[in-house]
Amino acid sequence: MLDNNLKNSPQLIVGNLSVVYPGVKAVANVSFSLAKGATLGIAGESGSGKSTIALALMKLIAPPGRITSGEIIFDGKNLLKLSDAEMVRVRGAKISMIFQDPFTSLNPVFTVGEQIAEAVRLHQGLGRAAAWAAAVKRLEAVHIKEAERRAHDYPHQFSGGMRQRVMIAMALACRPQLLIADEPTTALDTTIQLEIIQLLKEVQAEFNLSVIFITHNFGIVKAFCRDVLVINKGSVVETGPVAAVLSRPQSSYTRKLLDALRIINRE
Ligand SMILES: Nc1ncnc2c1ncn2[C@@H]1O[C@H](COP(=O)(O)OP(=O)(O)OP(=O)(O)O)[C@@H](O)[C@H]1O
Ligand SMILES: [Mg+2]
């Protein structure tokens, strides 16, 4: 009975999470949960607190910003109670994050192969050759052509869409259980955006990942997520299955976001 309960319990439970920066209550009492393999969109306008939630989940809120309340239960453990050393083992290895701008996460002075291999070595303790082979395999998984050769290239030698693929490869380096994607397609043109969404769907299935997809674009939420959390000024205004929220939005804020999408789509 207990085993059964554990199996069905959510992989991630966020309860009453609050984050402040000096003078700003960026996130206020946000709660949600995520089952293993589920896809949750976090949608809201610019400044609504989406990235702050993502950073809080990774315990990467930079001081003087800080988490003032709440719990983040991942795999049965409250991350907020872990030491920095324990958290290092969670980041990348169990929870990975992809950012909007690949340049913030890719180091310009190392080849992409070196960077992915380093992540693998750090978390999995593989030797150089095995880590390099794993890096090439990850690049193949995100459809970088001639991955073995391209692994020797530097980030600037890739196009924006390819860099985002490299970021995904890097995020997958240690086979995480949860992937947090913070507006990973915003800087890309529409066709490439769709390719990246398609790729994320593919790797989600292949690696049985849970995904939190942060975006201000409801079109992307619809294309990728089963559930959605709508936030405004740091608070949850609405949550539920995407289809239900899209067809019967309960809050005026959600309706406003959806109207904005309709106007954009009509143009
Ligand atoms: N490092 C920081 N220091 C001070 N205030 C911050 C910091 N980061 C974010 N904020 C503030 O916290 C609030 C939430 O910001 P956040 O970046 O989480 O929003 P967002 O929803 O991700 O916006 P966007 O869609 O533009 O990325 C905003 O008022 C923002 O100005
Ligand atoms: Mg943001």
Side-chain angles (χ1 to χ4, degrees), residues 255-267:
R255 280 196 290 275
K256 200 177 90 183
L257 285 182
L258 289 172
D259 285 345
L261 178 70
R262 279 186 204 107
I263 292 164
I264 292 165
N265 284 345
R266 230 181 281 136
E267 277 170 358

Side-chain angles (χ1 to χ4, degrees), residues 53-70:
I53 294 174
L55 291 172
L57 294 180
M58 301 281 278
K59 281 180 73 178
L60 286 175
I61 300 286
R66 63 189 183 93
I67 297 172
T68 53
S69 76

Side-chain angles (χ1 to χ4, degrees), residues 5 28 36 54 67 76 83 91 96 98 109 121 134 145 157 160 162 166 171 177 182 193 200-201 218 230 236 245 265:
N5 279 341
K36 196 161 175 40
I67 297 172
S83 67
R91 260 181 239 125
S96 262
I98 315 173
V109 303
R121 252 154 49 84
K145 292 197 183 77
Q157 291 169 288
M162 281 171 94
V166 170
Q177 296 156 21
D182 188 359
Q193 272 188 14
L200 279 171
K201 274 188 173 167
F218 256 106
V230 183
V236 177
V245 170
N265 284 345

Side-chain angles (χ1 to χ4, degrees), residues 161 164-165 168 184-186 188-202 213 217 219-224:
Q164 207 49 277
R165 284 170 190 275
I168 295 171
T185 63
T186 308
L188 306 171
D189 63 47
T190 318
T191 338
I192 312 285
Q193 272 188 14
L194 288 176
E195 277 177 35
I196 297 292
I197 299 291
Q198 193 50 46
L199 172 66
L200 279 171
K201 274 188 173 167
E202 236 178 88
F213 200 107
N217 183 339
I220 291 179
V221 170
K222 198 173 162 193
F224 189 76

Side-chain angles (χ1 to χ4, degrees), residues 50-51 100 182-183 214:
K50 305 181 296 294
S51 295
Q100 174 174 347
D182 188 359
E183 311 232 23
I214 292 176

